[in-house]
Amino acid sequence: MKFVTLFYATLSFTSLCSAGRSHSARHRSLHNQHSKKDAAIFTTGDPDEQGPGLILENNSSQTMSYYFYENIANGDGWGVPNFDSPYKYITMPSGLIAYVNLPISFKGRVQRGTDLPATWVEYQISADNDNCAHGDISLEQGYDGAATISADGDDNDDTNGFEVDLFDGAPEAAYQNKPDGSKALATTMGNWMSGPNSAAIDWENEKVGQSKAYITGGTGVPDVKSCNQRLYVKFL
């Protein structure tokens, strides 16, 4: 499933249910982007009874909060992303690994914090066509750190994403820092804040490439499949 877009350009979300990627335009307002975040479910980690969900690792050097956003709508090969109302969030000290329980119907993403630009880990717990979990990494709405996604205990070694630090050597023109001033690289597809950033596109294609993360939509990013409906996500 790929996310359809916002304002300036198409924002895609990986083809988890089908190989196709569809696009449409949708205007979003920045004014109330975080107006409902306080309604999100807070967890420090859920009891792991080997059910569906995500195993999340904070491999960064600092305490981080990760927010889970469920899509507003989903269809055959597409999804409309939610920017206003995270479903759940977890705060994790450096080095912690935690299980996060999610509904079997969950289709969306997890990201650091609530602001853009941000690296997106996109996934669904149970695809309509095979009932397996699928996921990928997207840099289309920015980069604020590396991430990987893998099958968890599903007798396969599916994994994707990257661990390279894209801040190291990035051109100044590729930056668009977050509202709080923390470092980030700009969107490659555009949103209500700006259009596509060509410096970020060129840098990410050089250092990561479309085989590891969605950079400018299209195809070519193998998704990770886990038929026990469990995925392992590592944020660096």
Side-chain angles (χ1 to χ4, degrees), residues 124-128 130-134 154 225-229:
Q124 58 180 324
I125 299 300
S126 179
D128 295 338
D130 63 5
N131 296 319
C132 297
H134 295 256
D154 191 39
K225 177 180 177 179
S226 179
C227 286
N228 65 0
Q229 300 175 332

Side-chain angles (χ1 to χ4, degrees), residues 42 57 62 130 164 184 199 236:
F42 173 69
E57 177 182 349
Q62 56 189 312
D130 63 5
V164 62
L236 291 89

Side-chain angles (χ1 to χ4, degrees), residues 99-194:
Y99 167 75
V100 179
N101 179 265
L102 295 165
I104 197 79
S105 59
F106 193 97
K107 304 175 193 291
R109 73 181 186 279
V110 59
Q111 67 175 68
R112 297 173 184 85
T114 58
D115 290 321
L116 296 180
T119 306
W120 283 10
V121 179
E122 308 170 325
Y123 60 92
Q124 58 180 324
I125 299 300
S126 179
D128 295 338
N129 64 334
D130 63 5
N131 296 319
C132 297
H134 295 256
D136 65 69
I137 309 299
S138 174
L139 302 177
E140 294 173 347
Q141 286 304 303
Y143 165 86
D144 62 353
T148 64
I149 185 168
S150 308
D152 180 69
D154 191 39
D155 295 328
N156 76 64
D157 57 358
D158 274 7
T159 187
N160 211 348
F162 61 95
E163 297 190 3
V164 62
D165 178 6
L166 292 180
F167 293 131
D168 186 12
E172 184 177 349
Y175 278 85
Q176 183 184 12
N177 290 344
K178 297 192 178 194
D180 66 1
S182 58
K183 290 194 301 185
L185 302 185
T187 174
T188 60
M189 295 295 284
N191 55 34
W192 62 88
M193 296 183 289
S194 67

Side-chain angles (χ1 to χ4, degrees), residues 60-79:
S60 75
S61 60
Q62 56 189 312
T63 297
M64 298 294 298
S65 292
Y66 302 98
Y67 284 75
F68 297 79
Y69 287 83
E70 191 167 15
N71 291 347
I72 293 171
N74 300 285
D76 184 10
W78 58 267

